[in-house]
Amino acid sequence: MTSSATPPAIGGYFEIDMGPRTGELYTDAFRFQSARAAFTSLLRHVKPSRIWMPWFNCESMLEAPAAAKVEVRRYSIDENLYPERLAEFGPADCLLYVDYFGVCGNQVARLLNEYPRERIIVDNSQAFYAPAPPCLAALYSPRKFFGVPDGGYLVTRVPIEAPEVQDVDSIDRIKPMLVRFAEGPEAGHSEAKRANLSLKGQPPMAMSALTQAMLGHLDYAGSLRRRNANFEELNCALASVNRFPLPASTPPGPLCYPFFTAVDGLHEWLIEHRVFVPRYWPGVRGAGGIESDWESTLARRCVPLPCDQRYDATDMKRVAGLVMEYLDAHEEP
Ligand SMILES: Cc1ncc(COP(=O)(O)O)c(C=O)c1O
């Protein structure tokens, strides 16, 4: 870091090589250490009477209204992942909607036509390539898409106060990413979990200098093309057996290819074959608080198949082949 009184450094040992400078994708955004920190700052500024949040979401997002002391109301989503009618939505309330898996752009568009858009916050943590819609705000969490240790963007016209204190913990959070390179994914797995946990319960801070530098050296256009091509490859192979409500055309650079099946055990089968699929989100319940709630079923039955920029058509064929092999051997209930 340099202050105005310190001349820029020339010479000495090298920084890690990050490749050509490309510039960040969201240059006008407020920069934080995480999406939930961005959400906290927004809520503190806007002070809605209540924030409506989906049952189907990452639990960490509840940290924000707790820290900002905003009352939370929860809502259910239907089989198209669209919010059930909110008869009690008040003029001073806000609503958070998630562009799930980066494939729910149509639902976002519909929401903005049915609710006051200046009260809508779109959580694009799973939709890095979805531009911020014309609404109160959009949130982004770049580490779910790229090899960066943390970070959160907030795109809004609301003049929130940017945090003064800057996060300095990226240097620790980057360690599992280096271990993955050196020793493979299994070796860094528990460290990666710890790195994720270290973002919990933190006050909003400015994005670290390291993360911001890394975000300025990514091939955004190339990654977008690769994600789209990989998504299409999986869709070609699996659309006929996938029960997930996908849009008719390929969404922009989705997080993954969400595959919904009534067959148990696909997550475990894929992991056994070193296709590491996460769970969004274990333990989630809906309004009923029981396992048969739609949200809970979605969490158990939806397998997010990787389609990111690290992979190509050969990898996608392997993933689709494993899925088909498992389905062929297991009857749907
Ligand atoms: C949809 C969604 N929104 C927000 C978050 C929180 O993002 P961050 O860890 O950057 O605060 C998560 C969880 O990781 C998420 O899955």
Side-chain angles (χ1 to χ4, degrees), residues 72-141:
V72 177
R73 296 294 297 268
R74 307 297 292 268
Y75 66 83
S76 305
I77 50 171
D78 65 18
E79 69 284 0
N80 289 312
L81 287 75
Y82 189 76
E84 299 280 15
R85 173 120 203 90
L86 304 180
E88 291 175 45
F89 189 82
D93 292 356
C94 280
L95 181 146
L96 179 86
Y97 180 71
V98 180
D99 184 341
Y100 295 106
F101 312 115
V103 303
C104 292
N106 295 340
Q107 290 86 329
V108 170
R110 181 177 159 201
L111 198 67
L112 297 195
N113 283 328
E114 293 184 0
Y115 288 87
R117 45 182 68 186
E118 68 285 357
R119 310 304 300 174
I120 305 285
I121 303 157
V122 175
D123 182 350
N124 274 342
S125 294
Q126 297 193 332
F128 189 80
Y129 285 99
C135 60
L136 174 60
L139 305 166
Y140 296 87
S141 183

Side-chain angles (χ1 to χ4, degrees), residues 101 103 231 234-247 256-262 266 294 298 301-305 323-324 327 332:
F101 312 115
V103 303
F231 183 96
L234 288 175
N235 200 38
C236 251
L238 299 173
S240 62
V241 283
N242 187 6
R243 297 195 192 174
F244 192 91
L246 287 174
C256 60
Y257 179 76
F259 183 79
F260 188 94
T261 174
L266 183 58
W294 165 234
L298 200 50
R301 301 259 179 245
C302 182
V303 185
L305 302 177
V323 170
M324 290 311 290
L327 294 187
E332 286 213 15

Side-chain angles (χ1 to χ4, degrees), residues 34-36 57-58 60-61 98 123 125-126 141 143-144 281:
S34 65
R36 76 196 84 160
N57 199 8
C58 178
S60 68
M61 287 299 273
V98 180
D123 182 350
S125 294
Q126 297 193 332
S141 183
R143 76 175 191 289
K144 301 177 188 20
W281 292 273

